[in-house]
Amino acid sequence: MILHKECPLCNSTSLLGFAIDTKRRGPHISRVQCSSCKLVFANPMADAAELNSYYNDYYEKDHYMAMDYKKIILDQYEYFKTIKPEDIGKETRHLKMLKSKSKFLDVGCGLGLGLAQANQLNCELYATEFDEGALEFVKNHFKIQTFKGDLWGANYPDIFFDFVHISHVIEHVLDPRAYVQEMSRILKPGGFLAIGTPDISSYLYRMHRWINLLQLKVPDVIDGLEHTFIFPKSGLRSLCIQEDLEVVDHYTYSLGEKISNLRHYKMPLSKKLNRLIQNAFHINQWIVCQKKPSI
């Protein structure tokens, strides 16, 4: 377990209690917020060994099994096959800059939604992932080079990829700045980095917090307890700019839950209602950055 006495991103020592959750199972129970950069992060924070243990068989955990998540993903695979390659960028905004036959890396690929779309563009596919089951899943569906473990362990060459995609992973890592630096290192000049992650500055998160505070309650954690860092939109943008990346697009979006799927989830009605409420708010964000060409 790691105890932070200063912000891991901006090194400010002004940290305020933000939320706590002792009811759900997860590697963290409490959050603090940096008064300077507004980053929210778990504190104390699970160390690498504890997180690695948690992420083993991640997609077999109860909440994914209740959603029959693999079936949802397979349905999405079939849908993407119906989309013309030239329309991928129209279908998925953060992939608008992805070109045909690019070298495409999906960091923490999960069950491979990003890979399925890149595959439609005949990209050369690479992926990292901790969950062995998830890697087997994507290898059964795509011609791909995979690495089990962290991004650094893959030891990719400098300026190797045309496009690096990291969807809902950066909020799970122990050092997001180092992650951005490593992804920039392996990205070709002129290449693109797309980062998807929750937006702690969304109206839903702020409203939930203030409702609790007005009732004199300590706010609980309403996103994943495994999350280590939750960025406000301004904070993620600042991080990318500080690492000499040029922001070409940055937007927020909702959960995108289909009502037809929600009806069939094997979970309590209260959890279904929570997901329905999240559908009405832009709680997530995508930022797309370009690595500046060499002079």
Side-chain angles (χ1 to χ4, degrees):
M1 196 66 74
I2 304 166
L3 180 62
H4 290 283
K5 295 187 176 181
E6 60 183 38
C7 175
L9 204 61
C10 73
N11 299 321
S12 170
T13 57
S14 181
L15 306 179
L16 299 175
F18 189 80
I20 191 165
D21 191 327
T22 58
K23 296 179 181 178
R24 293 183 293 163
R25 290 186 301 170
H28 310 113
I29 64 168
S30 60
R31 300 265 173 84
V32 300
Q33 183 175 47
C34 173
S35 298
S36 179
C37 70
K38 306 305 180 184
L39 178 72
V40 173
F41 57 96
N43 200 24
M45 186 180 292
D47 60 27
E50 291 167 320
L51 290 176
N52 289 351
S53 175
Y54 181 82
Y55 292 129
N56 188 41
D57 297 325
Y58 186 62
Y59 294 96
E60 306 299 329
K61 293 188 184 299
D62 291 346
H63 55 290
Y64 284 110
M65 297 300 286
M67 295 166 60
D68 199 2
Y69 191 61
K70 288 183 178 179
K71 182 182 182 303
I72 293 173
I73 295 298
L74 290 173
D75 288 345
Q76 282 292 100
Y77 280 8
E78 293 304 310
Y79 172 69
F80 291 141
K81 289 177 183 177
T82 68
I83 300 175
K84 296 178 181 179
E86 59 269 25
D87 291 333
I88 288 292
K90 298 175 185 177
E91 175 71 22
T92 305
R93 178 172 165 179
H94 68 270
L95 295 178
K96 185 177 180 180
M97 309 306 294
L98 180 60
K99 305 300 181 186
S100 177
K101 299 182 180 180
S102 295
K103 279 189 176 179
F104 179 91
L105 171 65
D106 200 347
V107 179
C109 67
L111 298 181
L113 276 183
L115 295 169
Q117 294 174 88
N119 190 57
Q120 282 296 99
L121 287 166
N122 294 313
C123 291
E124 187 178 336
L125 303 180
Y126 296 78
T128 68
E129 174 59 57
F130 277 103
D131 187 332
E132 182 65 41
L135 286 178
E136 289 301 317
F137 187 86
V138 298
K139 285 191 288 187
N140 285 337
H141 291 90
F142 310 113
K143 181 181 178 182
I144 185 170
Q145 297 185 48
T146 62
F147 177 80
K148 184 182 185 302
D150 211 341
L151 177 61
W152 286 283
N155 196 29
Y156 294 117
D158 293 348
I159 55 174
F160 188 68
F161 293 105
D162 300 292
F163 201 105
V164 176
H165 176 270
I166 178 169
S167 176
H168 288 268
V169 171
I170 202 163
E171 67 269 23
H172 297 262
V173 306
L174 290 174
D175 191 340
R177 184 181 297 280
Y179 242 76
V180 171
Q181 291 171 346
E182 177 67 2
M183 291 186 290
S184 180
R185 179 189 70 80
I186 60 180
L187 194 61
K188 294 177 182 177
F192 293 92
L193 168 62
I195 304 173
T197 191
D199 174 18
I200 196 63
S201 55
S202 73
Y203 287 120
L204 178 62
Y205 286 146
R206 285 187 285 168
M207 184 167 54
H208 171 82
R209 178 170 171 76
W210 277 108
I211 287 173
N212 277 270
L213 290 174
L214 289 172
Q215 296 178 48
L216 302 180
K217 296 180 180 177
V218 177
D220 57 352
V221 177
I222 60 171
D223 55 281
L225 283 179
E226 69 272 25
H227 294 165
T228 51
F229 294 93
I230 312 292
F231 286 88
K233 193 178 177 195
S234 59
L236 182 61
R237 186 183 189 91
S238 293
L239 171 60
C240 293
I241 292 172
Q242 289 166 13
E243 295 307 323
D244 206 28
L245 294 166
E246 182 178 351
V247 178
V248 297
D249 197 10
H250 194 187
Y251 62 94
T252 57
Y253 66 102
S254 67
L255 193 62
E257 191 77 79
K258 291 183 178 180
I259 304 301
S260 58
N261 288 336
L262 195 60
R263 289 192 302 113
H264 298 294
Y265 291 169
K266 298 174 183 177
M267 58 176 60
L269 179 61
S270 59
K271 289 190 175 182
K272 291 183 179 182
L273 289 174
N274 284 340
R275 293 187 72 84
L276 190 61
I277 291 170
Q278 290 179 60
N279 237 22
F281 293 87
H282 284 205
I283 61 171
N284 295 314
Q285 58 180 314
W286 273 103
I287 189 167
V288 181
C289 303
Q290 185 175 30
K291 184 175 178 178
K292 296 177 181 178
S294 301
I295 300 174

